[in-house]
Amino acid sequence: MRGNRSDAAASEIDDVADEFESLRPRLFGIAYRMLGSTVEAEDIVQDAWIRWQGTDRTGIHSPAAFLTTMTTRLSINVATSSRLRRETYIGPWLPEPVLTGADPELGAENTEALEVGILLLMERLTPMERAVYLLHEAFDYPYREIGEVIGTTEANARQLSRRARQHLTESSGTRVTVAEKNRLLRSFLAAAQSGDVQRLQTLLTDDIVLYSDGGGIVSAARRPIEGRDHVGRFLLGTLQKLQGNVDMQLTPVNGSDAFVFRKDGEPYIVCSIGVNDRGINRIFFVLNPQKLGALR
């Protein structure tokens, strides 16, 4: 009898683990989009797993809904404290790059709110606005369910989503397809490698901004570089310094291609771009070694 009870308990634990693992990509996708950090997202998912093991599941009809609610609320709490920490960050803060070759959507219905530029803009939203926006746009949750997840009404969830979309649309402009973005990235690389300043500048918008995130750990521009001429010359100087010292690969990062520069096999810089209908309007250099762990 004791053996039967032991076997049943072990089987239940296995079932619980299997169920959680099937939902892990979605839970990680929610936490990562909320926080822009793979480390913090993994911590959230691990916390959710520990809590899930200790939960009385007899009255839970939808584990997916329960775990989504838990993960979102944990992420909102962390996002509130993270905002305060980032106010003292040295230089521009950028989201941690995440590889998307194996899972291009990170458990979501689409790639919305996965691009580096959108994740950066989402930092300007309140944690509640961010949660509503990504649950609806990236994971296709209806507003009624979103209201239940974050503890508000359906009407208020709609209002939060409307404010978030308005702010992001005003800041990002007209978006383009991933294919067009990847095409511009290759043209950008070809112009930069050839040293063709004029060709490079034709790909950049007038309001181009380049961000470099070194986190105060490695040398990087402490302020964003703005303007077609300044950005073009900075890029050419940087790439000339890198030639011969690093290997460069085109790698799927955050839903589209990016340049990953490696030194002695270790990731050194990740360069991705933001694009609108006028050309390349944002360039992101992540150099902080603490943010490159997911690419090792």
Side-chain angles (χ1 to χ4, degrees), residues 205-246:
T205 63
D206 291 334
D207 59 350
I208 178 75
V209 182
L210 185 148
Y211 301 87
S212 295
D213 180 348
I217 299 174
V218 297
S219 177
R222 294 290 181 90
R223 294 182 179 179
I225 300 172
E226 302 179 6
R228 183 180 287 164
D229 184 61
H230 290 150
V231 170
R233 295 184 184 282
F234 176 86
L235 285 169
L236 290 178
T238 299
L239 289 174
Q240 286 175 356
K241 291 178 183 178
L242 291 174
Q243 283 183 357
N245 297 317
V246 298

Side-chain angles (χ1 to χ4, degrees), residues 143-164:
Y143 289 114
R144 179 184 57 79
E145 291 184 20
I146 293 173
E148 294 172 356
V149 167
I150 66 172
T152 190
T153 63
E154 178 180 349
N156 192 43
R158 289 181 181 276
Q159 180 64 22
L160 289 168
S161 178
R162 188 158 43 245
R163 288 207 302 262

